[in-house]
Every structure is written in structure tokens, then in C-alpha cells.
Amino acid sequence: MFMDLGGPNDGTPKVLIVVERGEWEGACRLPHMLRRAGALVAAFAPAACRLFRSRYIDRAIHPRGEFLPSLREHLEAEGGGYALVLLSDEGLVQRLASEEGHDWLDPWFPVDRRRAGDLISGKAPFVKACQLWGVAIPESRICFTQSELASAGRSLGLPIVVKASHGCAGDAVRRADTLDDLPQVFRELEPMVPLVAQEFIDGRVGSSIILYDRGVPVCSVSSYKHRCFPAPYGPSCAREMLDGPYLDPMLERVGRMTGFHGFCAVDWVQRRSDGAFLAIEFNPRPTPPLDAGFCVGV
């Protein structure tokens, strides 16, 4: 049984978690964390969503009919009572960021869609934005054809990392060690062009989960990916926490670049040769390690 959220003026912040598809693990960890922070938690998702297995959800709301029209109806009726609306489904965020005709969502969307919607809609736009804003990233090329990918391999030097603009959990990431590897890599990823080709950086990969207040970092949790499963570029199953201000300049610049509001994550690699941190991906959603913050006092 789910209790109703408090009234609009009772002083308790109310947060709405929105998930269109049911397998986003980061969203499942939000209710406990938000409850610890003193918020009341509502969830808008299909009834079968695993998010509803959490005992920390105060109100369950299921779409009646199509997802987006139902979400619009709910937000127009009750959205003013939420301190924060967390769109926690990356596919939904990226689709809405690039589609027109959803102006009703603007008050709750994590970025100004007119200014920054495109740059959170995929890996390729994020790379272009980083190059414009001076965010340190591995040297990169955007490729649409096999010949462009081969040219990128020659100019960047091998090995290179090739990733589709859309994908998660490493499902569309490949490493090419020789020029002969590139045709097969392109065939595997061609349905998902444009592709991002990046120089391979020898170093430790990690991630920072950040809470932004309209582009200003409020707090963050950073960690190395100590072990990944089931593939080298897949989700991490063991993490090593990182303390210190080393990543602050990067996270502050990404915040100014995106104007993001809410929880998101920046994946990075720390170059072994000089210790520099380079951004490699942006995840416009809460990611699973976010609830590890309490382990390190965040």
C-alpha cells in the first residue's frame, strides 16, 4: 500500500521519479537515497517497473494509456507540488531532448532544451560540445562512413575506441587494435551511426555522479571502475572511491556547458602518464553508484 504525499505546504520536499522502461538500476536506488535525505518519493512508471519493488516509494502512479500523454496530464495537474522531477530513463531523456513539440515538459526537463538539448541527446553531440567548451576529452572524430572511420584510425593512432552515439552499459563500444579491425567494427555499429572514434587512453576509468542545481555542482561522488562485468567496457561490479578536488574543474565546466538540473554522471579516464582526467561520456540520468555516497559522507 502506498500512502499519499503530504500537502503542498507541509514543508517536506517531494520528488517524482519518472521511468518509461523498467530496467534502469540507477532509478531503483533513488527512493532509499531520497528518503534518507528527508524527501517524500513518488514514482511515475509502468506497473511492471522494478522500481516499485522499493519500500521507500510513498506514492505509485501508473500511466493510463500512452506514456507521454499520461505524464503530461499528471504534471499539469500536480507538477507544481514537486521540488524535483527526475527523468531517470536515459532513452526517454535523449528522445525528449532532441524531439520538438514537448514544451509542456520544459519546467521539469533537466536542461534548457533549446540551448543544451542536443548535447545530451547522444555521445557524438557531447563530444562536439566538449570540443567547443574546452572540456578535456581524448582526441576524437565523428564518423558516418567506413572510410571516415579508417581515416580516424590513421590520424588518431591505434588502438582506438569506437562507440555508437547511443548505447549504454558498454553495449555499443568496441576497441580496434589494427586498421584491419575497423571494417568489422563498422559493420557491427553501422546501424547506430554516427560513431565516435577516440584515441585509446592508457589509464584508469571511472565515473562521477553529480547533483547539479541548474548547472552548479551541489555534491558529487567519484570512483574508479575497479572491475567490470560481463565485458571490459560494461557496467562496473566493484568500485574504488576517489576523494579530493581533482575532478572539480571538469565537473564545474560540464555544469556550465549543460546547465543540468538533477542527477547525472560523467564517465572519465585518468591518464596514467600524467594523471590528467579526461571526460569520455555523459549520462543524463542517475546511475547505480549514486547511493554509495553515504559510504564516504556525501
Side-chain angles (χ1 to χ4, degrees), residues 18-84:
V18 179
V19 177
E20 183 178 30
R21 293 165 50 204
E23 66 270 24
W24 294 100
E25 299 290 352
C28 297
R29 303 185 185 193
L30 280 170
H32 184 209
M33 185 198 68
L34 292 168
R35 179 70 69 79
R36 283 203 314 266
L40 290 170
V41 183
F44 187 98
C49 180
R50 67 181 65 175
L51 176 64
F52 293 121
R53 298 178 188 177
S54 172
R55 64 180 181 272
Y56 298 103
I57 292 176
D58 300 295
R59 184 183 179 193
I61 309 155
H62 307 309
R64 292 178 292 184
E66 294 185 22
F67 187 86
L68 285 180
S70 294
L71 177 61
R72 177 177 184 172
E73 179 183 356
H74 176 71
L75 288 177
E76 289 180 343
E78 302 186 36
Y82 294 119
L84 186 63

Side-chain angles (χ1 to χ4, degrees), residues 134-205:
V135 176
I137 60 173
E139 191 174 352
S140 305
R141 303 285 188 275
I142 309 300
C143 305
F144 290 85
T145 66
Q146 183 174 324
S147 62
E148 289 177 345
L149 184 58
S151 177
R154 288 189 290 269
S155 63
L156 295 174
L158 295 159
I160 62 171
V161 175
V162 184
K163 58 185 79 171
S165 191
H166 295 94
C168 62
D171 62 348
V173 180
R174 304 290 187 271
R175 171 174 161 163
D177 293 308
T178 70
L179 289 175
D180 291 338
D181 294 335
L182 292 176
Q184 178 62 30
V185 168
F186 185 80
R187 282 193 293 271
E188 292 177 5
L189 300 180
E190 183 178 12
M192 296 177 279
V193 294
L195 307 181
V196 177
Q198 291 185 323
E199 64 171 321
F200 177 79
I201 302 296
D202 178 30
R204 301 187 70 185
V205 175

Side-chain angles (χ1 to χ4, degrees), residues 14 83 114 128-129 140 162 265:
K14 304 164 188 67
R114 294 167 183 80
K128 291 181 180 179
S140 305
V162 184

